[in-house]
């Protein structure tokens, strides 16, 4: 094969005069996006670019997760469960990408990270407003987190809106109640600004769905989709924990947390407790 043969011919119809036209770069604002990596280590450490891009891409995916969860809640409030589940399905695929990304950061060895970690100051993923927004949207609300963003009005407004808004589970349970299933009124009237707590009496309503799947197929499917979301979230948390463990061991986090032990505690949190409790009751 000659060099000439190993070259793709540029089709005549391809637009090459891009003056005064929208381009790929301008549409995606790539000048800003690709210019947003600013290593702070002196001299600049090679692996800091990996660290920055890993976290920036995570933030972009979290922004999309929150966007999808917002629309999913809108559709649930409109009794359009099928449309809501389309957005939930997209969230699940994003979660898979987020979890797989940890394998890239895990290539950063303890020695390499130690060479620029000190330059990060108190910057920490704990301070991610989008991560907190996703947790709030799924039910793990904590008013104290709002204080982290008191000096950033835009982020504070975003997180406050999520704190005051019903969670994905709240909207689903309201839909279940409108379908005539016995959701306790206490749940329907709860203060949505509080973290969701398990209500054992709700398990009976969830059990009706699971034991009569053909009669409540879309609700049954939704329950399993939500369990997928929680499982994926836990896998993400676990991979985070393991990546941190292999990179910094038991050191204190840059944001002041206890590090690994702090992340370990997050594995005990749950968004949809009754969807797990019902499994103990089915078939009894």
């Amino acid at each position: 094969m000659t060099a000439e043969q190993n070259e793709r011919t540029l089709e005549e119809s391809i637009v090459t005069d891009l003056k005064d036209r929208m381009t790929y770069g301008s549409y995606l604002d790539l000048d800003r996006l690709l210019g947003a990596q600013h290593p702070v280590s002196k001299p600049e450490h090679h692996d800091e670019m990996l660290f920055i891009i890993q976290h920036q891409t995570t933030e972009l995916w979290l922004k999309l997760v929150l966007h999808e969860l917002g629309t999913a809640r809108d559709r649930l409030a409109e009794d359009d469960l099928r449309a809501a589940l389309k957005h939930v399905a997209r969230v699940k695929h994003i979660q898979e990408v987020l979890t797989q990304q940890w394998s890239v950061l895990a290539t950063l060895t303890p020695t390499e990270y130690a060479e620029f970690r000190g330059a990060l100051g108190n910057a920490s993923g704990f301070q991610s407003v989008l991560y907190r927004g996703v947790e709030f949207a799924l039910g793990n609300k904590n008013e104290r987190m709002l204080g982290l963003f008191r000096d950033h009005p835009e982020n504070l407004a975003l997180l406050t809106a999520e704190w005051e808004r019903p969670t994905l589970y709240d909207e689903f349970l309201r839909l279940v109640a409108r379908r005539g299933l016995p959701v306790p009124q206490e749940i329907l009237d709860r203060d949505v600004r509080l973290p969701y707590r398990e209500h054992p009496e709700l398990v009976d309503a969830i059990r009706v769905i699971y034991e009569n799947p053909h009669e409540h197929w879309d609700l049954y499917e939704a329950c399993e989709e939500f369990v997928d979301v929680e499982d994926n979230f836990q896998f993400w948390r676990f991979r985070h924990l393991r990546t941190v463990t292999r990179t910094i061991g038991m050191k204190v986090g840059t944001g002041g947390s206890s590090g690994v032990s702090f992340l370990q505690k997050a594995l005990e949190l749950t968004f949809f407790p009754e969807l797990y409790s019902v499994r103990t009751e089915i078939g009894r």
Side-chain angles (χ1 to χ4, degrees):
M1 179 180 291
T2 66
E4 290 76 11
Q5 291 174 315
N6 193 31
E7 181 178 307
R8 183 169 59 174
T9 302
L10 191 64
E11 297 174 351
E12 293 297 326
S13 60
I14 292 178
V15 177
T16 57
D17 182 3
L18 301 176
K19 183 179 180 180
D20 299 324
R21 296 175 185 264
M22 179 180 289
T23 67
Y24 179 77
S26 63
Y27 175 66
L28 297 177
D29 202 1
L30 289 183
D31 286 344
R32 276 205 302 169
L33 182 66
L34 299 180
Q37 294 74 47
H38 307 292
V40 295
S41 54
K42 304 290 184 187
E44 181 180 324
H45 192 282
H46 171 83
D47 295 310
E48 191 179 354
M49 186 65 74
L50 159 65
F51 193 79
I52 292 171
I53 290 176
Q54 169 89 23
H55 288 83
Q56 286 180 336
T57 53
T58 294
E59 291 296 317
L60 287 171
W61 284 123
L62 289 173
K63 182 174 183 176
L64 185 55
V65 168
L66 192 57
H67 178 66
E68 298 297 336
L69 290 175
T71 302
R73 283 175 284 173
D74 290 339
R75 299 293 86 82
L76 288 171
E78 297 165 358
D79 288 321
D80 193 347
L81 180 55
R82 292 179 63 185
L85 291 183
K86 173 64 168 65
H87 296 284
V88 172
R90 182 172 292 164
V91 167
K92 288 166 52 179
H93 285 291
I94 298 169
Q95 288 178 305
E96 291 175 3
V97 173
L98 284 168
T99 299
Q100 291 168 0
Q101 281 190 181
W102 288 120
S103 64
V104 182
L105 192 61
T107 64
L108 183 66
T109 68
T111 303
E112 292 163 345
Y113 185 39
E115 291 174 353
F116 68 86
R117 185 176 188 246
L120 304 181
N122 293 125
S124 167
F126 180 81
Q127 301 150 10
S128 168
V129 68
L130 291 170
Y131 175 78
R132 295 301 164 195
V134 170
E135 280 208 322
F136 279 20
L138 292 174
N140 183 23
K141 296 190 178 183
N142 186 336
E143 185 178 0
R144 293 181 61 191
M145 292 298 177
L146 299 175
L148 282 174
F149 308 101
R150 58 180 173 270
D151 296 323
H152 195 303
E154 185 176 343
N155 284 349
L156 179 59
L158 183 155
L159 196 58
T160 299
E162 286 299 331
W163 177 58
E164 295 175 342
R165 184 175 181 180
T167 70
L168 182 72
Y169 201 32
D170 285 323
E171 293 291 7
F172 174 66
L173 294 177
R174 292 174 183 184
L175 182 148
V176 170
R178 292 193 295 272
R179 294 281 188 91
L181 293 174
V183 177
Q185 192 63 39
E186 175 188 358
I187 295 176
L188 302 176
D189 295 337
R190 83 178 194 92
D191 184 347
V192 298
R193 297 172 301 177
L194 299 176
Y196 185 83
R197 305 297 187 196
E198 183 170 5
H199 295 76
E201 62 272 23
L202 176 61
V203 174
D204 289 339
I206 302 299
R207 183 173 181 173
V208 169
I209 295 171
Y210 271 89
E211 293 186 340
N212 300 276
H214 296 294
E215 183 179 348
H216 305 288
W217 184 261
D218 57 347
L219 298 179
Y220 177 72
E221 180 184 17
C223 289
E224 287 298 286
E225 290 287 299
F226 291 169
V227 169
D228 285 344
V229 168
E230 173 149 340
D231 280 356
N232 287 347
F233 208 99
Q234 293 289 40
F235 291 150
W236 184 89
R237 283 171 168 159
F238 180 74
R239 288 292 286 122
H240 183 194
L241 169 69
R242 297 307 302 170
T243 301
V244 170
T245 301
R246 70 182 286 165
T247 307
I248 68 168
M250 303 305 291
K251 293 186 184 73
V252 172
T254 51
S257 76
S258 57
V260 168
S261 61
F262 180 78
L263 297 176
Q264 183 75 46
K265 293 173 184 176
L267 294 173
E268 300 171 4
L269 301 175
T270 180
F271 301 122
F272 318 117
E274 295 85 3
L275 299 187
Y276 289 88
S277 296
V278 73
R279 284 155 165 74
T280 304
E281 303 302 320
I282 294 171
R284 272 189 170 179

